[in-house]
Amino acid sequence: MGEGNFSEEGLHLERKELLEGKMQDTQRFWDNMYTKQQRIAQAAEKHAGKSLTNAAHHIDVQWMYCAYEWTRKDGAAGIDGVTAAEYEVGLWERLENLVELLKSGNYRAPPVKRVYIPKAGSKDEKRPIGIPTYEDKILQRAVVMALEPIFEKEFYDFSYGFRPGKSAHQALERIWKESMGMNGGFVIDMDISKYFDTIDHGLLRDMLSRRVSDGVITRVIGKWLNAGVMDGDKREYPGKGTPQGGVISPLLSNLFLHEVLDDWFVKIVKPRMKGKASMMRYADDAVIICELKEDAERIYKVLGARFDKYGLQIHPEKTRLLDFTKPKDCQGKGNGSFTFLGFTHYWTKSRKGKWIVGRKTNSLRMRRAIKAVSAWCKANRHLPVRKQWETLKAKIKGHYAYYGISLNFWSISEFYEQVRIVWQKWLNRRGRKGKRNWNSFTDYLKLWPLPKPRIVHSYC
């Protein structure tokens, strides 16, 4: 296209060429990054049990661009106030400078901005969350991309939280199959008190150094651990815990529990069991199922001491050992129940009259979800009905996307009915004009139909 071609068609072609060129460059960057990750994984496998010294060697500006692409653009700004849109101005220069600061050791980790949001299920209570700066999020993502190929070779397949290719639904599928295969067994439902805030920094560094001794990586992780939190005008330096709100935190927390719990269970506990035993873990939420009661009691007895050795505490009230064995045919109800990843697991009878492990949305989660929809309807009842309808559709589909699993149809149907009830309630508070009883509201829903309940994840 010649110079000076400012016709609408010419500008459109120019924009298209630029876009296609950018897409080709981006794909090339991703291909290079994946190739480098494979090299890191191969090195980790070749030198199993040894510490790698050159993981940061692969991080260049193209790698950093992939980290930028992977970083969410709609998050709140950190203490520097820089948004994703503002950071994009002069992006390439910023990323080159970021790589240089990382490699030279001159990067200064900014403190995390602490903000408070309403606590779920409470009107007055608020919980703190951390917001890193946007540039810090990019750098953390870049380091995670370098560390994942190493530790994915170490982590066990029963650990599902915040890992590539793993999901909560895979953990739910596994726990269902394991409990059915063991006829329920005896379940240790454990809860770690304030896990992410009590991880010992010194122990964490030691665990990291056993597999990664690259000074560039270990130095910047140390800076993140010591960066502190900015709460208003006050800067705090927690002596324990992972960086709040950072994308590096899930990997570090998985690394810590891998040694504290996973490795111990596989190498020390299971070989000493007389019957079958299995564990499922998602971040700090873990369940152990034992075929024999005596095995479960032995694990339960030493669990507190094991965690105490690493500066962690088992919640004395929320951690429990329960009889979850398959009921006898003559029993009218099942034995016990436990909650894992928002679902209550319990024994129920199938349509054929056989005992199976059923799952339903945890009652607390159900109340919280309905309450959230009701609060939204109340606050936005002045919006046009179409806008309300579009948002409610998205909320319902999101609920089904997580809770729509096999054997939970009743719970998602209840959620669907409750959403219809609260929507009618708040539509009727828009004024006297246009009030509808339930029958007329049902006809109204024919114009604005809400998504019907459906099972999204079927694996029973």
Side-chain angles (χ1 to χ4, degrees), residues 22 100 233 345 349 351 439:
K22 181 181 178 182
E100 174 60 29
D233 296 330
H345 296 69
K349 285 194 173 182
R351 293 178 180 179
N439 289 333

Side-chain angles (χ1 to χ4, degrees), residues 24-40 58-63 66 145:
Q24 290 175 359
D25 286 342
T26 301
Q27 186 58 51
R28 179 166 53 84
F29 296 165
W30 281 103
D31 290 343
N32 290 340
M33 189 270 293
Y34 286 135
T35 301
K36 291 177 180 179
Q37 283 188 319
Q38 289 175 353
R39 291 174 185 166
I40 296 174
H58 299 281
I59 301 178
D60 56 17
V61 69
Q62 293 182 11
W63 181 291
C66 293
M145 287 157 52

Side-chain angles (χ1 to χ4, degrees), residues 206-356:
D206 289 342
M207 294 174 187
L208 178 67
S209 65
R210 287 169 200 161
R211 287 301 276 137
V212 179
S213 55
D214 186 317
V216 173
I217 298 291
T218 56
R219 183 167 53 237
V220 74
I221 289 178
K223 290 179 179 180
W224 283 324
L225 293 174
N226 296 323
V229 176
M230 188 66 74
D231 192 345
D233 296 330
K234 183 180 178 182
R235 187 167 181 174
E236 301 174 357
Y237 294 92
K240 295 183 177 181
T242 54
Q244 291 188 13
V247 295
I248 192 74
S249 294
L251 177 64
L252 296 179
S253 61
N254 267 335
L255 170 61
F256 201 80
L257 268 188
H258 170 75
E259 179 163 329
V260 175
L261 184 59
D262 302 356
D263 217 35
W264 172 71
F265 178 76
V266 171
K267 296 178 180 178
I268 306 298
V269 173
K270 285 194 74 173
R272 290 169 171 77
M273 296 292 98
K274 295 181 179 179
K276 296 179 182 178
S278 62
M279 183 173 76
M280 278 63 63
R281 182 173 69 81
Y282 192 93
D284 62 332
D285 196 357
V287 169
I288 297 175
I289 304 176
C290 295
E291 184 181 23
L292 302 178
K293 184 177 181 180
E294 58 181 298
D295 287 341
E297 288 176 337
R298 289 174 63 196
I299 298 173
Y300 187 72
K301 187 177 180 179
V302 300
L303 203 57
R306 175 65 184 179
F307 279 86
D308 187 61
K309 179 181 177 181
Y310 291 86
L312 302 175
Q313 285 189 339
I314 293 291
H315 198 292
E317 297 174 1
K318 295 181 180 179
T319 301
R320 61 199 180 107
L321 169 61
L322 67 142
D323 181 353
F324 193 66
T325 52
K326 182 179 180 180
K328 297 178 181 178
D329 291 337
C330 59
Q331 285 184 236
K333 62 178 182 179
N335 300 320
S337 65
F338 65 95
T339 299
F340 183 65
L341 298 179
F343 292 89
T344 298
H345 296 69
Y346 64 103
W347 283 102
T348 185
K349 285 194 173 182
S350 68
R351 293 178 180 179
K352 296 181 179 180
K354 295 183 178 180
W355 285 107
I356 60 171

Side-chain angles (χ1 to χ4, degrees), residues 366 370 409-419 421 453:
M366 176 70 87
I370 295 170
F409 190 78
W410 184 90
S411 290
I412 61 174
S413 298
E414 177 66 15
F415 177 76
Y416 168 76
E417 293 297 334
Q418 290 298 322
V419 170
I421 290 171

